[in-house]
Amino acid sequence: MELTTLIGLIAALAGLLGGMYFKGVPFSALGNPAAIFIILIGTVGAVLNAFPLSDIKRVPKLFKIIFTNTKPPYSNEELTDLITDLAQLARKDGILALEAKIKDLKDPFLQRGLTMITVGMASELLQDTLVEAIEEMENRHQASASIFSQAGTYAPTLGVLGAVIGLIAALANMADQEALGHAISAAFMATVYGIFTGYVLWHPFANKLKRKSKEEALNKRIITVGILLILEGVSPNMIKDKLVAFLAESDRAASPTRD
């Protein structure tokens, strides 16, 4: 479970309910079927209009990514050490010695890159292939995150629409002042639902997906740079120094340069 997502949802809900309590708004006001219907079904409809089915099919998987603590097979620090070890092996026994290590690796992208250098792929072609794979991944992730970004844009606007519909219904029965007050109050619940789901759920979910995508892309760029340097015959220490530059300052002490 991704704890920040869970804690964030609990905190946001607590903020909403706490605000209602201190403002004297009864919690029963949240039970507004019309507002819920307009916001949830309306947002789903708007998203379906905005994206092809091939993108929509990925939504269940995206929720899994948001709510689970998914990590790459190797952390950036682990990759730095692993690639340095592979570079030492290649420098000592030759590039072909890496073939025996490929099947034991947990990262398919790393396996793919090492396979390419063991079969003699040219450096320029190898770089183009791996960089294009990363760019395609980033484009796919961006398209996925935009589903939630767009939902976050549509939901508040649909909240305004729901409020207008509610006001139309309220003004149609102005003779009963008490009923009118309740109707107006209920009308604005659609706006509450729209703003809450848009800015507490959908936009933050999109941001989390973008952040995870950047982390995965950085992980793959470390692999790409390391593989290219191994192919070029750069010394393991120099490769280590180069890869450590990708790490956060706080993580660099965990990956000291080897002798």
Side-chain angles (χ1 to χ4, degrees), residues 110-178:
L110 179 57
Q111 288 179 319
R112 180 184 178 188
L114 290 176
T115 300
M116 288 178 183
I117 64 175
T118 58
V119 298
M121 181 177 287
S123 176
E124 184 176 348
L125 179 58
L126 174 61
Q127 181 176 1
D128 289 343
T129 302
L130 296 180
V131 169
E132 286 173 5
I134 296 173
E135 291 176 349
E136 175 57 31
M137 181 201 71
E138 289 180 309
N139 291 336
R140 186 174 65 255
H141 289 179
Q142 178 62 35
S144 297
S146 65
I147 294 176
F148 290 99
S149 294
Q150 290 300 102
T153 300
Y154 301 144
T157 304
L158 288 168
V160 175
L161 175 62
V164 171
I165 293 174
L167 289 175
I168 291 173
L171 294 175
N173 188 24
M174 294 186 64
D176 188 342
Q177 294 299 312
E178 182 177 353

Side-chain angles (χ1 to χ4, degrees), residues 240-253:
K240 182 81 169 184
D241 290 339
K242 177 64 176 179
L243 299 185
V244 164
F246 285 98
L247 305 181
E249 192 69 36
S250 59
D251 297 325
R252 294 181 183 181

Side-chain angles (χ1 to χ4, degrees), residues 2 4 65 68-77 79 107 134 137-138 141 207-223 246-247 251:
E2 179 71 65
T4 56
I65 294 172
T68 58
N69 189 17
T70 54
K71 294 182 178 180
Y74 299 105
S75 68
N76 294 342
E77 298 80 30
L79 269 181
D107 192 314
I134 296 173
M137 181 201 71
E138 289 180 309
H141 289 179
N207 187 73
K208 179 150 288 186
L209 288 173
K210 292 176 183 177
R211 179 62 182 172
K212 286 177 177 285
S213 177
K214 288 182 179 179
E215 291 172 353
E216 186 174 352
L218 175 60
N219 192 266
K220 285 178 165 50
R221 287 193 175 94
I222 291 175
I223 292 174
F246 285 98
L247 305 181
D251 297 325

